[in-house]
Amino acid sequence: MKITIFGSGYVGLVTGACLAEVGNKVVCVDVDPAKIALLNSGGIPIYEPGLSEMLQRNREAGRLQFTVDPKTGVDFAQLQFIAVGTPPDEDGSADLRHVLEVAETIARHMTDFKIVVDKSTVPVGTGDKVRRRLRGILDQRGADLGFDVVSNPEFLKEGAAIGDFMKPDRVVVGTENPHTIETMRRLYAPFNRNHERLLFMDIRSAELTKYAANAMLATKISFMNELSNLSEILGADIEKVRVGIGADPRIGFQFIYPGCGYGGSCFPKDVQALEKTALDVGYQPALLHAVESVNNRQKTLMFNKISDFFDGDLTNKTIALWGLAFKPNTDDMRAASSRTLMEALWETGARVRAFDPVAHGEARRIYGDRPDLHICSHADEALEGADVLAVVTEWIEFRSPDFTEIRNKLRFPAIFDGRNLYEPKAVTAAGLIHYSIGRRPAQPN
């Protein structure tokens, strides 16, 4: 099949690469000439395990092209995917400007029937807006051309996106048009061989499914973080509580890990957008508001623990920071807990020596050169001259460090473990105080 994808960001590139991987021919369109030049030269603007190799393989095979010319994209295929960003507005609502601009672009250039597939994460009712924009531009042109609009939300985890696309849990498709249903069945047939994964529904239900899924996962995280704070006050161990409740199959173990808050491009934005959608129709979403409120508070927890350790005086203190990305296996720092921590430390006169396996470039892009931030090339370097260590991203290479070496390098014997990576006894045996989430500090003997 031939497919055009507007938007060569995270969703667009993963979608394009995976669809090309199974034999389709794909054209990716983007308005950023520098990004397209990078992709055409074999580069990649984001980090995602396995994606660079897949893009290169399919580009060399002639199944994947990149262009800035929208007409080329519109002429190329009947299936026109919209995979552009929907950043949050100041009021928390999703900004649909880019989505509607793509719809307008398709309508201005199309000369035959098109199926416009909305892959972007969008509020309920966006399909209707896309349809109106398409019809409005076609009417202006006096073009009597047919089209259909589909909602096909993505459910990709950063760091595992290729596996999620190639072996999906489910593929949600919002359309009630029999012809479009058959077209989408053909498109996703290579990913649907083991058992039926396609879920067809109306467009509005498909749009809400995406927001509902992310809001549910964010709710589990915030609930566990709320419980962790209570656990610490009561003298319980949240890790033992986690195992105790996760053993119940009705609850399960996924997304019940306490920590220093969730981040990324999806959960914060989507919870806010769903809350705004509810408010717009006169419904007060108390739980959604609480989920976001708990998460915002949780992101300040690491700073508060470090500040309390130094009796509120962080002037000229140096904090070693392991982890910058909001989660492992990505360089994405959007709404990352590391940013909340670093910015709070800087406001109080502290310095940061940070290491992340892949997000160092993103950190430099965001913060530039500043005297109170040193980006290190490896984890041990971050410890040099540091007063204490804070861990905020659960990269696998941080899981089994030499605690004795850490103790010898730090000026003060303390680790602030924002993801509960370490067993308290292992930390304290090296002479370090272990501060974690949902447990009281563990002191050396």
Side-chain angles (χ1 to χ4, degrees), residues 248 252 327 392:
D248 186 331
K327 62 180 285 189
V392 297

Side-chain angles (χ1 to χ4, degrees), residues 141-319:
R141 290 176 53 197
D144 185 18
L145 298 172
F147 64 87
D148 197 14
V149 176
V150 179
S151 175
N152 178 214
E154 53 85 13
F155 297 95
L156 305 175
K157 297 186 296 290
E158 290 192 45
I162 290 176
D164 288 343
F165 198 103
M166 301 299 287
K167 296 181 179 179
D169 298 318
R170 78 288 203 196
V171 178
V172 172
V173 180
T175 180
E176 297 174 281
N177 182 315
H179 171 264
T180 301
I181 288 174
E182 289 309 308
T183 302
M184 297 301 286
R185 280 196 185 279
R186 282 181 54 213
L187 178 67
Y188 282 109
F191 312 97
N192 200 40
R193 292 174 60 83
N194 183 266
H195 63 273
E196 181 61 62
R197 293 181 172 93
L198 282 164
L199 303 176
F200 289 98
M201 59 188 72
D202 61 277
I203 291 180
R204 284 177 171 253
S205 295
E207 290 169 340
L208 183 56
T209 297
K210 167 62 176 179
Y211 277 120
N214 280 350
M216 173 63 80
L217 297 175
T219 299
K220 292 183 73 173
I221 295 170
S222 279
F223 174 80
M224 207 62 193
N225 283 335
E226 184 89 307
L227 208 58
S228 72
N229 296 331
L230 180 61
S231 172
E232 186 169 339
I233 294 169
L234 295 175
D237 184 336
I238 194 61
E239 288 300 318
K240 294 176 180 176
V241 175
R242 177 182 64 80
V243 173
I245 66 174
D248 186 331
R250 297 171 300 174
I251 299 172
F253 288 101
Q254 290 191 327
F255 287 87
I256 61 168
Y257 288 86
C260 52
Y262 61 74
S265 63
C266 294
F267 287 5
K269 174 176 72 72
D270 292 353
V271 171
Q272 291 172 20
L274 186 54
E275 182 181 2
K276 181 62 167 58
T277 296
L279 292 171
D280 286 346
V281 295
Y283 181 77
Q284 293 293 327
L287 181 57
L288 292 175
H289 181 76
V291 168
E292 186 69 6
S293 177
V294 168
N295 189 59
N296 290 335
R297 183 179 63 192
Q298 199 72 10
K299 286 183 176 181
T300 68
L301 195 61
M302 289 287 282
F303 171 77
N304 292 337
K305 288 177 180 286
I306 295 171
S307 180
D308 289 345
F309 179 82
F310 288 109
D311 296 323
D313 184 8
L314 289 164
T315 306
N316 294 324
K317 294 294 186 294
T318 299
I319 311 302

